Amino acid sequence: DGGITQSPKYLFRKEGQNVTLSCEQNLNHDAMYWYRQDPGQGLRLIYYSQIVNDFQKGDIAEGYSVSREKKESFPLTVTSAQKNPTAFYLCASSQQGARNQPQHFGDGTRLSIL
Amino acid sequence: AQTVTQSQPEMSVQEAETVTLSCTYDTSESNYYLFWYKQPPSRQMILVIRQEAYKQQNATENRFSVNFQKAAKSFSLKISDSQLGDTAMYFCAFIGPGTASKLTFGTGTRLQVTL
């Protein structure tokens, strides 16, 4: 079955440490997205990529970095510059340009500070 | 910039009853898409229903329907014959023009279906 796989499900970060969240999709979608979810704030866009080797900042990109070397992979790195990283992170994908088509979401990664 | 507002943080409904979740949005665009997503305790985001702004007819998916009022910028979700499995967070979301297909989400409504 096609879908989006996020790993790990739970992740812990020490002070000053960078951590990377994995997102892989086999839906052959061009566009991929990273969202952060905090209680009471809904989902906020961190970064998105419409095509391989290209990505754009979303609304809350500070303290995060991404890469898009392969169509099916869009890893998110939470750097030490992100002072409040504790949140639920969701990866999504969609057909490029197909705004009426829904984004497909992974099951998420919960990141906590040790 | 577009904004999406969900003014009901929590709602409760009895099984088999009908409930309506409200959503308003702010945009200067005329061509856009609206979605309702459901997030059960498992945290997976599931599409419930979608509406295209240029279509006047309200979208319907089984027990779920919307009341889309374009002039009022309102997009409410009606759940009929509520079931225990409908218990979840519900998010209203908006996609505007352009090719990036970026979703703007509301803050969500937590719906509890009770016996």
Side-chain angles (χ1 to χ4, degrees), chain A residues 6 33-35 37 43 88-91 105-106 108, chain B residues 39 45:
Chain A
Q6 288 187 243
Y33 312 82
W34 273 106
Y35 294 92
Q37 185 175 20
L43 279 71
F88 188 66
Y89 291 86
L90 282 161
C91 178
F105 286 83
Chain B
Q39 188 180 43
M45 294 289 284

Side-chain angles (χ1 to χ4, degrees), chain B residues 49-99:
Chain B
I49 199 164
R50 81 190 81 172
Q51 175 78 41
E52 300 172 34
Y54 64 86
K55 287 188 177 179
Q56 293 185 340
Q57 186 173 6
N58 289 325
T60 300
E61 289 286 344
N62 300 314
R63 297 182 296 108
F64 299 88
S65 62
V66 298
N67 183 4
F68 173 50
Q69 302 289 328
K70 190 171 184 178
K73 297 180 183 176
S74 172
F75 182 59
S76 61
L77 174 70
K78 185 171 82 171
I79 306 175
S80 304
D81 186 26
S82 296
Q83 301 174 359
L84 295 177
D86 295 334
T87 293
M89 283 288 289
Y90 287 82
F91 292 97
C92 179
F94 171 102
I95 285 182
T99 59

Side-chain angles (χ1 to χ4, degrees), chain A residues 9-50:
Chain A
K9 193 173 180 67
Y10 300 95
L11 188 58
F12 298 91
R13 195 191 87 169
K14 295 180 181 179
E15 291 287 341
Q17 185 182 44
N18 293 352
V19 292
T20 297
L21 285 60
S22 171
C23 178
E24 303 276 335
Q25 56 100 357
N26 60 4
L27 298 167
N28 200 32
H29 286 165
D30 289 309
M32 297 186 74
Y33 312 82
W34 273 106
Y35 294 92
R36 171 177 170 143
Q37 185 175 20
D38 295 281
Q41 294 194 50
L43 279 71
R44 292 180 292 169
L45 182 65
I46 305 173
Y47 267 98
Y48 65 100
S49 169
Q50 297 174 263

Side-chain angles (χ1 to χ4, degrees), chain A residues 9 31 33 35 37 40-45 48 50 57 88 90 94-107 110, chain B residues 31-33 35 37 39 42-47 50 52 54 89 91 95-108:
Chain A
K9 193 173 180 67
Y33 312 82
Y35 294 92
Q37 185 175 20
Q41 294 194 50
L43 279 71
R44 292 180 292 169
L45 182 65
Y48 65 100
Q50 297 174 263
K57 293 182 179 179
F88 188 66
L90 282 161
S94 68
Q95 289 287 6
Q96 174 57 20
R99 294 181 296 127
N100 62 325
Q101 296 301 312
Q103 289 185 9
H104 296 255
F105 286 83
D107 289 340
R110 178 168 294 284
Chain B
N31 181 20
Y32 51 86
Y33 297 85
F35 303 82
Y37 278 89
Q39 188 180 43
S42 65
R43 304 302 294 270
Q44 186 179 20
M45 294 289 284
I46 302 165
L47 178 71
R50 81 190 81 172
E52 300 172 34
Y54 64 86
M89 283 288 289
F91 292 97
I95 285 182
T99 59
S101 300
K102 295 184 293 177
L103 279 166
T104 299
F105 284 88
T107 52

Side-chain angles (χ1 to χ4, degrees), chain A residues 43-111:
Chain A
L43 279 71
R44 292 180 292 169
L45 182 65
I46 305 173
Y47 267 98
Y48 65 100
S49 169
Q50 297 174 263
I51 197 169
V52 174
N53 292 322
D54 188 41
F55 48 83
Q56 287 79 39
K57 293 182 179 179
D59 300 319
I60 54 165
E62 186 174 350
Y64 300 97
S65 66
V66 294
S67 63
R68 187 84 188 278
E69 297 177 2
K70 298 186 298 181
K71 185 176 183 177
E72 54 273 16
S73 178
F74 191 41
L76 173 74
T77 296
V78 184
T79 73
S80 57
Q82 173 50 246
K83 299 306 180 187
N84 183 24
T86 297
F88 188 66
Y89 291 86
L90 282 161
C91 178
S93 71
S94 68
Q95 289 287 6
Q96 174 57 20
R99 294 181 296 127
N100 62 325
Q101 296 301 312
Q103 289 185 9
H104 296 255
F105 286 83
D107 289 340
T109 293
R110 178 168 294 284
L111 176 62

